[in-house]
Amino acid sequence: MVSSPNGDAEKDAPDNLSLAGDGFDTVVKAKQAVDAVCPKVVSCADILALAARDVVVLAGGPSFNVELGRRDGMVSKASLVKGNLPEPEFTLSQLNAMFAKHNLSQIDMIALSGAHTLGFSHCNRFAKRLYSFSSSSPVDPSLNAEYAQQLMSACPKDVDPSIAIDMDPETPRTFDNVYYQNLVSGKGLFTSDEVLFSDPASQPTVSDFAQSSGDFSGAFATAMRKLGRVGVKTGRQGSIRTDCTVIGS
C-alpha cells in the first residue's frame, strides 16, 4: 500500500507492477470511510484482508471469516519482495518450499493458486513457454496447442511489455474452479500453474478441485485464513496508519 517518491517501495517491485491502481484506491477509500466513524482503530492491513475476501465473494467465490487485529508494517522496500513470491517457472518442490516457510501445506498452495482464476499477467512472464522453451521445442509441449496459438496471437515476439493477458482464458471474471479444469486441459498460463497437474504428487488434488467446486471452495477458505496469519503484527509492533500510503502516518 505504501507509496514512495523514490519508486522503491514494495509496490514498485517488478512482480507488483501489474497490480491495478484502482485496487489500491478502493482500500484507501474504505480506510477513509472507516476512520470517519472510528478513527485510528482499524488498520489498512485489516481492510486489505477484508477487501480480498469481498472481491472473491463479489466474483462468485466462497465467503469466509477474516481474522482481524493486524497492525500496519513500518517497512516497505521493493528489494524485499524477491524470493517471497512464486516465480512463473517454479517447480512443485520450489512452490512447496516457499509456502512451507509460512506453515502452508501443498493443498493450501494448490488452493491459493486457484486465485489465478481472476486477474491478468504481462506477456514477458510466460513468453519463454511460447518462443524459447528448449532447443528441441520452442513451444512448451505441455501447453494445449490451440491455447498456445491464442497466446502467440495476443503476445507476439517483442510485444509491448505492458500488454496483459487473462490468467484464466475461459472465465476470467468469475471466481470458480475452472482454473483447475484449464490445468487438466493444458491451459495453465505459467509453468508453475501447469506443473500442479503434470507432477504426479499434486495431480490428484488438481483433479479433485477441477471436479468439485465445493472441495476447492473449502480448501481455499481454509488456506486464506492460514495465509492471513502470516507475518501479522500486533500489540506494540507496527502502527495503525491514518494514510495507507504513508508509513507511520
Side-chain angles (χ1 to χ4, degrees):
M1 293 299 302
V2 172
S3 296
S4 167
N6 303 317
D8 59 358
E10 187 176 342
K11 70 191 300 185
D12 301 308
D15 278 350
N16 291 333
L17 292 179
S18 63
L19 296 175
D22 53 356
F24 291 105
D25 294 342
T26 299
V27 176
V28 168
K29 289 175 183 175
K31 169 66 171 171
Q32 291 169 345
V34 170
D35 274 6
V37 178
C38 189
K40 293 288 280 185
V41 172
V42 183
S43 67
C44 299
D46 271 354
I47 290 173
L48 187 60
L50 289 164
R53 186 270 313 276
D54 290 352
V55 76
V56 169
V57 173
L58 288 168
S63 184
F64 49 90
N65 292 327
V66 178
E67 296 172 334
L68 303 173
R70 301 166 183 79
R71 291 171 71 84
D72 295 317
M74 302 297 289
V75 176
S76 182
K77 294 181 179 178
S79 59
L80 298 178
V81 172
K82 191 168 180 61
N84 285 299
L85 290 175
E87 297 289 342
E89 295 177 11
F90 266 14
T91 63
L92 182 66
S93 60
Q94 287 174 309
L95 289 167
N96 279 334
M98 174 165 281
F99 281 75
K101 286 193 302 184
H102 303 297
N103 296 315
L104 294 161
S105 68
Q106 176 173 290
I107 289 179
D108 295 329
M109 178 272 291
I110 296 171
L112 291 170
S113 297
H116 285 181
T117 187
L118 299 177
F120 57 84
S121 171
H122 294 299
C123 295
N124 62 352
R125 302 296 281 170
F126 53 86
K128 182 179 178 181
R129 298 189 75 194
L130 302 176
Y131 302 110
S132 56
F133 184 72
S134 70
S135 56
S136 59
S137 176
V139 181
D140 183 345
S142 71
L143 264 176
N144 176 290
E146 183 181 346
Y147 183 46
Q149 287 299 318
Q150 291 175 8
L151 293 175
M152 290 162 109
S153 296
C155 292
K157 280 187 177 180
D158 304 317
V159 70
D160 181 339
S162 67
I163 297 295
I165 301 300
D166 290 324
M167 289 190 283
D168 177 348
E170 304 298 332
T171 57
R173 303 292 176 267
T174 305
F175 194 97
D176 53 25
N177 66 331
V178 172
Y179 165 81
Y180 301 101
Q181 296 170 13
N182 291 338
L183 300 188
V184 174
S185 301
K187 297 180 181 178
L189 185 60
F190 304 129
T191 304
S192 57
D193 289 318
E194 198 57 52
V195 73
L196 301 180
F197 183 70
S198 61
D199 194 306
S202 49
Q203 187 179 94
T205 303
V206 171
S207 296
D208 174 38
F209 289 171
Q211 293 166 10
S212 172
S213 59
D215 286 357
F216 164 52
S217 293
F220 182 79
T222 296
M224 283 295 284
R225 278 193 295 271
K226 291 172 68 173
L227 182 64
R229 297 169 187 161
V230 174
V232 170
K233 291 171 174 55
T234 59
R236 295 192 175 187
Q237 301 169 317
S239 68
I240 294 178
R241 293 180 207 149
T242 300
D243 182 343
C244 290
T245 68
V246 180
I247 289 175
S249 61

